[in-house]
Amino acid sequence: MRFTNYLLNISRLCSRSKHKFAEKLLDVVNKYNVPSISDKSKFLTKVSVLMEYDGFHELIESEKAEKQSGWDLKDSVEEFDVSLARKKFPSIVLGNSPPVELYDETTQQSEMKNLLSAESYKEFPSDSLGQKWVDPDDLSEHGISSGTRPSENSSILEEKGNVNASVISESRDENTFISKELKEENAYDWTLYSEDVTLGMQEKLDHKVSIEDSSKQMVPDSLLSDAFLDTSISCIPGLSKRQCHQLENCGFHTLRKLLNHFPRTYADLQNAQVGIDDGQYLISVGRILSSRGVRASYSFSFLEVVVGCEVAGDESQHTIDDVDSAGKKTIYLHLKQFFRGTRFTSQPFLRILQNKHKLGDIVCVSGKVRSMSTKDHYEMREYSIDVLKDGEDSSLCPEGRPYPIYPSKGGLKPNFLRDIIARAVQALALDVDPLPKEITQEFGLLHLHDAYVGIHQPKDAQEADLARRRLIFDEFFYLQLGRLFQMLEGLATQMEKDGLLDKYRKPELNAMCMENWCSLTKKLLKSLPYSLTSSQLSAVSEIIRDLKRPVPMNRLLQGDVGCGKTVVAFLACMEVIGSGYQAAFMVPTELLAVQHYEHLLNLLEAMEEHQPKPSIALLTGSTPLKQSRVIRKGLQAGEISMVIGTHSLISENVEFSALRIAVVDEQHRFGVIQRGRFNSKLYYSSLSSRIAAASSDGPSKSDGNMAPHVLAMSATPIPRTLALALYGDMSLTQITDLPPGRIPVETCCIIGNSQGFEEAYKMMLDELETGGRVYLVYPVIEQSEQLPQLRAASADLEVISDRFQGYNCGLLHGRMKSDEKDEALRRFRSGETRILLSTQVIEVGVDVPDASMMVVMNAERFGIAQLHQLRGRVGRGARKSKCILLASTASSLNRLKVLEKSSDGFYLANADLLLRGPGDLLGKRQSGHLPEFPIARLEIDGNILQEAHTAALKVLGDSHDLERFPALKAELSMRQPLCLLGD
Ligand SMILES: Nc1ncnc2c1ncn2[C@@H]1O[C@H](COP(=O)(O)OP(=O)(O)OP(=O)(O)O)[C@@H](O)[C@H]1O
């Protein structure tokens, strides 16, 4: 009885294919007091069947991952395959710092423009004939039975009365294409789908649509409205109510949402790729030849699916026997999944697994391949597999188009989404594009309609790339447009508005000359132990010019590691202090705050007498309460001219008397949101202080109610144009050269086996004997049982001290107390310790010019950009420095070797992105605090961003309030509603 009730409950819940639920069930199954193993197995089978649970793989995989975390570490490391990514996405530019000037009027036109010469443009299909209509099997899978209409569907159809039922029955015919389907649909009554459409739309839909022979012309004229993209998905032809609900439950409420569900990659159904290298990322289409679940031992089992793929034979490498007359040969991909645990070795379970893959199914497989001992056989351990269509259908893609592979969402299967999206694309109105024609023409962009067709049903890879470019352009364009529009809204007169746009169009190059600097700034400059580089000097000039203005500066100072940003910011602070105001300098770590504080004190000490001498304070989370109270009082009273600290500077109780500049170091660590908070916090606190001062008849500044200037500093080597996206409302200053005399750091990558370590230790000893100082960087502090292969800083202290007797070793990591960290760094800086074992806490800003060597343990655990930052800790003095990257596996060496070749932060940032593999270039969201760009990869799409910025300026130059572009304004308010509300 209990058993029957339980099954009943499950069947009620069978639609919920969620891990949690399945996990619970499995637990229950285990706990259940079923007498014999075979009963238990039967029970398991029933549970699975009833649930139609399709997440067993993931469930088991996650369990496997937990149990064996790190068992195959080397698999997680991608190999460098820029050429493949580059081939797939020609618009990706991999190179040095782009020569694009931010506010230059001479906008760089990308290479795409050439691609889009008049003729090639003509070639783009205005529709996507050739794309298949809905697969009847999938219809049945999703609620439309192949013989009869689904009940809910038929009820609506009967209700509406005048539907041509041939629409659905016709769609059952195999190998029919949408053009034909749509012709068949001529008599289709659009009012059927108007239920959920807005009233206005309803009126527009009321008349019958006469559909011409082109698929695009099936869209009623009345639908060609601005709001089309935001209409309900119920306007998609042939969508049942059930499907509609399914989609809406997963967040696809509007056509826009659906159309913006982009393919994560495309499969080349012809497998045109020649030659397969070991370790290569492969996307291939083939037929399932076998699927078997194997119980290897009491607690270990695996699933092996063999897929046979016809590929173009590389005749140069093979004998005549391998390659048939058509130049094709078959390769065999063995997809393997391993399971540990007794519950995964039962026969019913293995049968369920193996039956999930039907023999003969045509599938698209992607993942990294490894050659097996038998020729033309490859193994794939981490893979994705998508069933394309059933094996009988030989006309998958008659024209050899790239086949879109969609990510699933909220339980909706990729194939289902592909079909629905195909219908949505067909229903898409021609004139959905709110961008003015002049803009699309000038910037060589696809029409929005064609871009959606191109991304979802591309004719070839180039079309997909062009489509992607247009969609990325839009993301950037509306962001820029919104920001500039908002700024213009805040200005009263036409002149001010023109002035603002001008400022963004052409930078004032003639920076203020040094004579106008205040004497404090000049004195500090004079006392520096070096001369500023020319780009440091022009950076200071540019900033000081802004500081003299009665409008708050919002500027980003950007430059590669070790280029000398700090001193530029110090000079800016002196300028403000010299004029009788205060400065705040916020950094992300206490270590850095202390370093900057001591650095500035040293510089001021060396400076010739200046009256009054600026008073500098350090305020961090570790500042004793009593002392911090005194500092806060000093700041409020104006007795302290400058405070350096961590984010405690933005805490409620810190108030300034006359704050004029806020320097925010390492912008990326704080994020855009914190920047905003800091900005307003400073504004309000300084404002409230001034109000208080005014009411108490105290001394007040003439321009007292101005918000402070903000100078953000970033060492992250982001392209100039990327900076624009992140800091669209900011001006940008770049330091492009390094201080003279810097010798590039020699980098070498070594495998971290015993021989590799010996080699590294030998180099260390040479360095120490010749007076050098060495950082040893570790991925973790303590040794962990789960990841025994990782070297740990604390654990290694003794080993290294033993090995390098006579040279003191220090330890530095994030779990140490603040004063212990300061002390460790001080001892290393002074030379008391010659070896510093550290975690990545030193990554940001730590400056020890005499450190001359860095050895990074388990270097594959770090990203390329991160290693570049770490490496920037050495090579800051006159001594030639070395950086040794010890990799755990040979396969990760390839990736790291890019650091041997280049020390250009821009190049490495781009390479880092491409190294993550071509598979996730599409459809991956930016993480963290960046604005979300569904398909743009900021670092590589910088050129598009620059054009979007210029286009936004152009549009607003033509019409400040966008009145001339109502469609654009409507689109902007859809995308950024807060922007138009003045938020
Ligand atoms: N013009 C210069 N000539 C020689 N040395 C300089 C010059 N400018 C700065 N330096 C020195 O170079 C080192 C690095 O400077 P700084 O710490 O300001 O770099 P940074 O750009 O902030 O680097 P990071 O991004 O790594 O923090 C410091 O020791 C500094 O004293």
Side-chain angles (χ1 to χ4, degrees), residues 584-732:
F585 200 124
M586 186 163 83
V587 293
T589 63
E590 287 190 14
L591 215 58
L592 208 51
V594 175
Q595 178 183 293
H596 283 347
Y597 176 68
E598 287 172 358
H599 185 183
L600 184 58
L601 284 188
N602 288 341
L603 291 179
L604 289 176
E605 221 163 81
M607 191 177 77
E608 72 183 58
E609 209 41 57
H610 181 86
Q611 281 305 330
K613 192 131 182 150
S615 64
I616 316 292
L618 173 72
L619 185 65
T620 68
S622 316
T623 311
L625 205 63
K626 210 168 148 196
Q627 201 180 333
S628 80
R629 210 174 294 140
V630 174
I631 293 172
R632 278 187 275 119
K633 251 184 151 175
L635 287 171
Q636 202 172 17
E639 288 151 6
I640 295 175
S641 346
M642 178 167 171
V643 61
I644 299 179
T646 50
H647 48 268
S648 41
L649 291 189
I650 52 172
S651 71
E652 291 280 306
N653 51 11
V654 178
E655 292 222 346
F656 295 87
S657 148
L659 182 70
R660 181 44 64 94
I661 187 169
V663 179
V664 187
D665 192 4
E666 295 297 340
Q667 178 77 64
H668 260 64
R669 302 276 156 154
F670 289 116
V672 177
I673 295 153
Q674 282 98 325
R675 164 163 69 91
R677 254 187 68 198
F678 188 42
N679 201 354
S680 61
K681 151 85 195 149
L682 291 174
Y683 176 74
Y684 287 120
S685 53
S686 54
L687 189 65
S688 58
S689 307
R690 280 191 294 266
I691 291 166
S695 60
S696 66
D697 286 342
S700 74
K701 311 279 173 197
S702 56
D703 48 359
N705 51 7
M706 194 183 93
H709 300 289
V710 173
L711 178 66
M713 302 206 296
S714 173
T716 311
I718 44 176
R720 191 176 180 86
T721 41
L722 166 59
L724 234 180
L726 291 174
Y727 318 107
D729 52 346
M730 291 183 113
S731 317
L732 186 72

Side-chain angles (χ1 to χ4, degrees), residues 75 168 177 212 281 343 536 577 598 634 708 799 839 923 930 942:
D75 274 358
I168 292 178
F177 293 92
E212 313 253 340
Y281 183 92
R343 59 183 160 159
Q536 275 175 316
I577 296 169
E598 287 172 358
V799 181
T839 55
L930 303 181

Side-chain angles (χ1 to χ4, degrees), residues 530-531 533 536 561-566 715 739 742 845 847 873 876:
Y530 45 75
S531 323
T533 63
Q536 275 175 316
V561 259
C563 68
K565 295 178 291 289
T566 318
R742 291 271 170 91
D847 183 42
R873 301 308 114 207
R876 296 168 88 92

Side-chain angles (χ1 to χ4, degrees), residues 791-804:
R791 300 281 294 245
S794 290
D796 246 18
L797 183 61
E798 213 178 301
V799 181
I800 297 293
S801 304
D802 271 0
R803 174 92 199 201
F804 297 95

Side-chain angles (χ1 to χ4, degrees), residues 418-490:
R418 174 170 39 240
D419 289 333
I420 300 292
I421 290 170
R423 286 192 244 173
V425 169
Q426 301 310 322
L428 190 58
L430 266 179
D431 69 346
V432 279
D433 202 344
L435 265 194
K437 243 202 187 100
E438 313 91 79
I439 297 291
T440 45
Q441 272 166 6
E442 182 174 344
F443 292 92
L445 299 167
L446 285 187
H447 187 277
L448 189 58
H449 173 275
D450 294 339
Y452 277 125
V453 172
I455 200 96
H456 291 293
Q457 302 164 351
K459 194 168 58 130
D460 48 35
Q462 195 190 36
E463 189 187 343
D465 195 47
L466 281 169
R468 179 178 163 275
R469 181 173 175 272
R470 163 64 210 258
L471 295 166
I472 293 170
F473 180 94
D474 278 15
E475 289 172 23
F476 290 150
F477 174 77
Y478 289 107
L479 181 81
Q480 298 296 315
L481 192 72
R483 285 193 172 159
L484 288 166
F485 181 86
Q486 204 176 12
M487 283 155 84
L488 288 174
E489 289 273 277

Side-chain angles (χ1 to χ4, degrees), residues 22-71:
E23 264 168 47
K24 262 194 213 149
L25 281 175
L26 281 174
D27 280 350
V28 174
V29 170
N30 275 342
K31 274 185 231 145
Y32 226 90
N33 231 351
V34 187
S36 76
I37 300 232
S38 83
D39 283 352
K40 191 170 166 179
S41 312
K42 269 185 215 152
F43 183 42
L44 242 177
T45 318
K46 278 185 180 148
V47 169
S48 320
V49 171
L50 280 167
M51 287 173 68
E52 288 179 317
Y53 179 62
D54 59 359
F56 271 108
H57 283 295
E58 291 161 55
L59 171 65
I60 292 159
E61 274 302 282
S62 67
E63 176 142 327
K64 185 185 89 181
E66 256 171 49
K67 290 201 168 141
Q68 318 168 35
S69 51
W71 72 284

